[in-house]
């Protein structure tokens, strides 16, 4: 499960469209699957290190898609000085 929060400005109040996504690392086994433990209500955790390692590449992909869709609406993007 994940949820997204869209923000339209920075902490300083400057325009800065961005989205935060919170991902739950907990998963429940499907009914009838015991995972070898015999407990049908067993909860497990995803490997958080793998999720963490992909954050930059997933973020960059999301930003490129957001820019492409925004350009289709006639919007333009500008890179801030000293930043990507």
């Amino acid at each position: 499960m994940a949820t997204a929060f869209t923000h339209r400005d920075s902490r300083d109040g400057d325009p800065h469209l961005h989205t935060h996504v919170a991902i739950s690392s907990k998963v429940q086994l499907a009914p009838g699957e015991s995972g070898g433990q015999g407990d049908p209500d067993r909860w497990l955790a995803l490997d958080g290190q793998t999720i963490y390692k992909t954050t930059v590449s997933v973020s960059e992909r999301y930003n490129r898609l957001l820019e492409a869709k925004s350009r289709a609406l006639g919007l333009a993007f500008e890179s801030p000085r000293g930043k990507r």
Side-chain angles (χ1 to χ4, degrees), residues 2-40:
T3 189
F5 302 91
T6 301
H7 293 169
R8 290 171 177 78
D9 55 6
S10 69
R11 288 187 178 111
D12 295 329
D14 297 325
H16 178 69
L17 180 62
H18 64 285
T19 305
H20 297 270
V21 178
I23 301 171
S24 174
S25 65
K26 292 295 197 179
V27 293
Q28 186 177 22
L29 293 178
E33 290 196 28
S34 66
Q37 301 297 320
D39 183 359

Side-chain angles (χ1 to χ4, degrees), residues 34-79:
S34 66
Q37 301 297 320
D39 183 359
D41 294 323
R42 187 162 181 229
W43 286 82
L44 303 173
L46 299 173
D47 183 355
Q49 291 178 346
T50 301
I51 294 171
Y52 181 76
K53 288 177 185 177
T54 64
T55 55
V56 172
S57 61
V58 170
S59 176
E60 290 299 320
R61 175 75 174 144
Y62 174 80
N63 290 338
R64 298 295 81 78
L65 290 171
L66 180 63
E67 288 176 18
K69 289 189 180 288
S70 298
R71 282 192 179 99
L73 296 172
L75 301 174
F77 283 81
E78 184 176 304
S79 295

